């Protein structure tokens, strides 16, 4: 199965119009004109996020029942979601565009964040951006997401890690054995109170691996 990722609604509209068989499988009547840009835009704006969370929960529970996901080896990481503002445009010459005092007017919930711009361990390159962060808990064995939380861009992984783990545990009631993260090094006392017999590993800093 191949998943397509579109950064813009216009790309989605073009893709569906050029791949009618995909549009048909998505439930559209290809004998009629496909929805225009503003139809998709209105749908995204009016869609209740709680509905998406409900569907994700039911899908993960079903995968757990089928034995595809068991959450025995999990990882937590965050993905930056850049806001649709000219201040994120690298070609923009706006002065102090990444100053906290220059809040974008298009969305009052945007916050200034920073993310790593390179996966190389010997490079300390980072970039600022306005927007949000999507914190994702993933089953490392199959590579499928088990839980997600979207926050403003100024929220670090370590701030929401315990909250995500607690909420996931309440839903799936699964005993986890190993947990991996790039940036989170929790205290033994905190995790042992919530998750007995928990092992924390770090792919970036092996020396931080410890039994809880």
């Amino acid at each position: 199965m191949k998943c397509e990722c579109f950064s813009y609604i216009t790309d989605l509209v073009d893709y569906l119009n050029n791949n009618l068989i995909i549009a048909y499988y998505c439930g559209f009547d290809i004998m009629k004109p496909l929805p225009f840009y503003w139809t998709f835009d209105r749908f995204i704006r009016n869609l209740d996020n709680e509905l998406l969370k409900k569907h994700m929960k039911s899908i993960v529970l079903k995968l757990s029942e089928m034995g595809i996901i068991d959450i025995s080896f999990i990882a937590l990481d965050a993905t930056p979601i850049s806001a649709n503002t000219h201040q994120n445009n690298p070609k923009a010459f706006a002065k102090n565009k990444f100053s906290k005092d220059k809040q974008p007017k298009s969305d009052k919930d945007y916050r200034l964040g920073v993310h790593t711009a390179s996966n190389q361990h010997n490079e300390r390159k980072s970039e600022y951006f306005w927007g949000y962060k999507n914190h994702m808990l993933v089953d490392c064995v199959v590579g499928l997401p088990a839980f997600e939380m979207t926050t403003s861009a100024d929220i670090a992984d370590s701030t929401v890690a315990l909250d995500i783990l607690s909420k996931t545990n309440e839903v799936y009631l699964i005993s986890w054995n190993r947990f991996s993260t790039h940036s989170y090094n929790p205290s033994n006392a905190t995790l042992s109170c919530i998750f007995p017999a928990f092992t924390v590993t770090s792919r970036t800093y092996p020396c931080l691996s410890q039994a809880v």
Side-chain angles (χ1 to χ4, degrees):
M1 179 183 293
K2 180 181 178 181
C3 295
E4 298 289 343
C5 180
F6 302 104
S7 301
Y8 303 98
I9 298 177
T10 50
D11 295 336
L12 171 62
V13 174
D14 290 340
Y15 180 83
L16 291 176
N17 280 288
N18 292 321
N19 298 272
L20 293 179
I21 186 64
I22 302 297
Y24 173 78
Y25 285 130
C26 288
F28 295 107
D29 185 353
I30 59 176
M31 302 305 293
K32 298 179 180 179
L34 297 181
F36 294 104
Y37 171 92
W38 294 111
T39 304
F40 287 108
D41 180 72
R42 184 168 58 251
F43 173 79
I44 294 173
R45 290 178 180 276
N46 296 335
L47 184 62
D48 186 359
N49 183 255
E50 291 300 321
L51 180 62
L52 296 177
K53 291 182 177 180
K54 180 180 178 180
H55 281 296
M56 180 177 180
K57 175 183 174 181
S58 63
I59 291 173
V60 175
L61 283 173
K62 184 63 177 179
L63 291 173
S64 178
E65 293 173 2
M66 297 171 64
I68 297 176
I69 289 182
D70 64 5
I71 322 292
S72 60
F73 188 7
I74 54 176
L76 176 64
D77 203 1
T79 299
I81 304 176
S82 297
N84 186 19
T85 172
H86 76 280
Q87 289 168 245
N88 281 332
N89 188 342
K91 296 182 180 179
F93 294 100
K95 187 177 180 180
N96 299 324
K97 60 182 180 180
F98 290 124
S99 170
K100 291 184 178 180
D101 298 329
K102 298 287 186 178
Q103 174 74 26
K105 298 180 180 180
S106 55
D107 191 332
K108 63 180 181 179
D109 294 326
Y110 290 158
R111 291 295 183 271
L112 183 63
V114 60
H115 69 92
T116 304
S118 174
N119 290 326
Q120 300 299 321
H121 297 309
N122 58 348
E123 291 186 19
R124 298 289 182 178
K125 185 179 180 181
S126 58
E127 293 180 351
Y128 289 97
F129 72 102
W130 287 99
Y132 303 90
K133 278 185 182 178
N134 184 233
H135 307 268
M136 188 72 68
L137 192 70
V138 179
D139 184 317
C140 296
V141 178
V142 294
L144 294 175
F147 191 87
E148 71 84 27
M149 177 186 291
T150 301
T151 66
S152 54
D154 58 338
I155 303 299
D157 285 350
S158 57
T159 306
V160 296
L162 284 179
D163 190 24
I164 290 176
L165 291 172
S166 298
K167 289 182 178 179
T168 306
N169 191 53
E170 291 173 1
V171 173
Y172 307 118
L173 299 177
I174 298 174
S175 178
W176 299 324
N177 298 317
R178 294 180 69 81
F179 173 65
S180 177
T181 178
H182 282 290
S183 59
Y184 187 52
N185 181 27
S187 66
N188 292 356
T190 304
L191 270 181
S192 61
C193 292
I194 305 176
F195 309 105
F198 206 90
T199 301
V200 180
T201 65
S202 174
R203 182 172 55 183
T204 305
Y205 306 103
C207 60
L208 295 180
S209 298
Q210 54 184 307
V212 177

